[in-house]
Amino acid sequence: MSRQAISSGAKAEDMAIARRAARERREELERRDLAVRNAEQSVASATEEISRLNAELDNERRARDLAERDALNANEKLRDARTEIARLRDELQTVRADAEDTKIRLARLEGERQAEETRRASEKRMADARMAAENLKQALSRFGAVRDSGRGIAIVLPESFWASPRSANLVAASGAKLDQVGALLANNPDYQISIEAYTDNRGDENTLQQLTQDRARVLSERLAATGVEVTRIQATGMGAANPVAPNTTAASRAKNRRTEITLSLPGSNEPRL
């Protein structure tokens, strides 16, 4: 019975050891299973995270590719826009230059046209003035000797206009002629009129000067009475100055006893009288 008790005790101890060992193995296995399950869950979570991150990475890559493509397109469009802007600027500059050249040409043509019109008008005025001057000279030639001088048109009245060589009185016939001369001059208002009376050198110088002054005054008043404006007339007695012939013979002295009426246009190269 002791041996049996000992044997039963030993078996019970062995069984207890075995049970404990089995329990420890089960616990170990459970820990391993738990660790495996945890590892599997971690792997699954990691795999899911990796998939999510890969998806996000793919999205980011696609977004980056799209952004790069859009950036390239935008850069190309920007380059094209800059090129087009530069072309348009050059074209605009060319158009402006052409427009400026056109303006200059038009201005030059307009200036040439105006100059041509001015030249033609000037030529016409000159031709009209020459014709009018010729007509005036022809009309004046009925009353005295007419000639062109450096000052304009000059008419020399004959000595027969005066009552005597030393008189400032007009004869009746000369008065009528002077009225006609005055009418001609009144109808040609552009001319300034200079009356210069001369005589020979026989006699007192002061007396001769007064004689020519009186004759010039008489003619001036007679012309003014016919309608010639007084402001157009300048009357001067020249005395015995500027003889046209020597005072040695009666014929020469008669030539020096003359009265000249000179018509000149203001603004010409001729001196204004």
Side-chain angles (χ1 to χ4, degrees), residues 238-259:
M238 305 299 292
N242 300 325
V244 295
N247 288 295
T248 55
T249 64
S252 297
R253 288 192 294 274
K255 291 180 180 180
N256 290 331
R257 293 191 299 271
R258 67 195 187 279
T259 304

Side-chain angles (χ1 to χ4, degrees), residues 139-213:
L140 291 175
S141 65
R142 295 183 291 121
F143 309 106
V146 178
R147 58 182 175 81
D148 291 322
S149 70
R151 297 158 58 189
I153 303 171
I155 176 174
V156 181
L157 301 180
E159 177 71 9
S160 60
F161 268 53
W162 306 103
S164 69
R166 292 294 182 265
S167 173
N169 296 321
L170 294 167
V171 299
S174 63
K177 293 179 180 179
L178 284 175
D179 290 343
Q180 297 180 52
V181 172
L184 288 172
L185 299 182
N187 290 329
N188 290 271
D190 293 335
Y191 288 96
Q192 293 294 314
I193 304 167
S194 173
I195 301 173
E196 295 176 342
Y198 300 85
T199 187
D200 56 40
N201 63 352
R202 295 298 177 90
D204 177 67
E205 181 178 352
N206 292 332
T207 302
L208 296 177
Q209 178 65 37
Q210 186 61 46
L211 171 65
T212 56
Q213 189 65 46

Side-chain angles (χ1 to χ4, degrees), residues 115-136:
E116 179 65 17
E117 290 179 354
T118 301
R119 183 187 64 80
R120 290 180 179 177
S122 178
E123 289 179 352
K124 185 177 183 303
R125 286 195 301 271
M126 293 178 62
D128 293 343
R130 285 193 296 269
M131 182 177 296
E134 290 299 322
N135 292 336
L136 180 60

Side-chain angles (χ1 to χ4, degrees), residues 26-259:
R26 285 195 303 272
E27 291 176 354
E28 180 67 22
L29 288 174
E30 288 176 357
R31 285 195 298 272
R32 288 180 181 177
D33 290 342
L34 180 60
V36 168
R37 285 194 300 273
N38 291 336
E40 288 176 350
Q41 291 176 355
S42 297
V43 169
S45 298
T47 302
E48 183 180 353
E49 182 67 16
I50 289 172
S51 298
R52 186 183 64 78
L53 291 176
N54 284 331
E56 290 181 359
L57 180 60
D58 290 340
N59 291 333
E60 290 293 333
R61 285 175 178 171
R62 284 194 296 273
R64 183 196 62 189
D65 292 341
L66 291 174
E68 290 179 352
R69 185 182 63 188
D70 292 341
L72 290 175
N73 291 334
N75 287 333
E76 291 179 358
K77 290 180 180 179
L78 180 60
R79 285 195 298 270
D80 293 342
R82 287 175 177 173
T83 302
E84 182 66 13
I85 289 172
R87 186 187 68 79
L88 291 175
R89 284 178 177 172
D90 293 340
E91 185 175 350
L92 178 60
Q93 188 66 25
T94 301
V95 170
R96 286 177 176 173
D98 292 342
E100 190 65 25
D101 292 340
T102 301
K103 288 181 181 178
I104 293 174
R105 288 196 298 271
L106 289 176
R108 183 171 62 251
L109 291 174
E110 180 64 18
E112 292 175 355
R113 184 187 66 80
Q114 292 181 358
E116 179 65 17
E117 290 179 354
T118 301
R119 183 187 64 80
R120 290 180 179 177
S122 178
E123 289 179 352
K124 185 177 183 303
R125 286 195 301 271
M126 293 178 62
D128 293 343
R130 285 193 296 269
M131 182 177 296
E134 290 299 322
N135 292 336
L136 180 60
K137 286 191 291 185
Q138 185 176 0
L140 291 175
S141 65
R142 295 183 291 121
F143 309 106
V146 178
R147 58 182 175 81
D148 291 322
S149 70
R151 297 158 58 189
I153 303 171
I155 176 174
V156 181
L157 301 180
E159 177 71 9
S160 60
F161 268 53
W162 306 103
S164 69
R166 292 294 182 265
S167 173
N169 296 321
L170 294 167
V171 299
S174 63
K177 293 179 180 179
L178 284 175
D179 290 343
Q180 297 180 52
V181 172
L184 288 172
L185 299 182
N187 290 329
N188 290 271
D190 293 335
Y191 288 96
Q192 293 294 314
I193 304 167
S194 173
I195 301 173
E196 295 176 342
Y198 300 85
T199 187
D200 56 40
N201 63 352
R202 295 298 177 90
D204 177 67
E205 181 178 352
N206 292 332
T207 302
L208 296 177
Q209 178 65 37
Q210 186 61 46
L211 171 65
T212 56
Q213 189 65 46
D214 291 341
R215 285 185 171 184
R217 176 183 53 77
V218 169
L219 290 179
S220 173
E221 292 173 352
R222 191 62 183 251
L223 293 179
T226 61
V228 180
E229 292 185 7
V230 177
T231 56
R232 295 173 54 199
I233 304 173
Q234 178 178 327
T236 307
M238 305 299 292
N242 300 325
V244 295
N247 288 295
T248 55
T249 64
S252 297
R253 288 192 294 274
K255 291 180 180 180
N256 290 331
R257 293 191 299 271
R258 67 195 187 279
T259 304

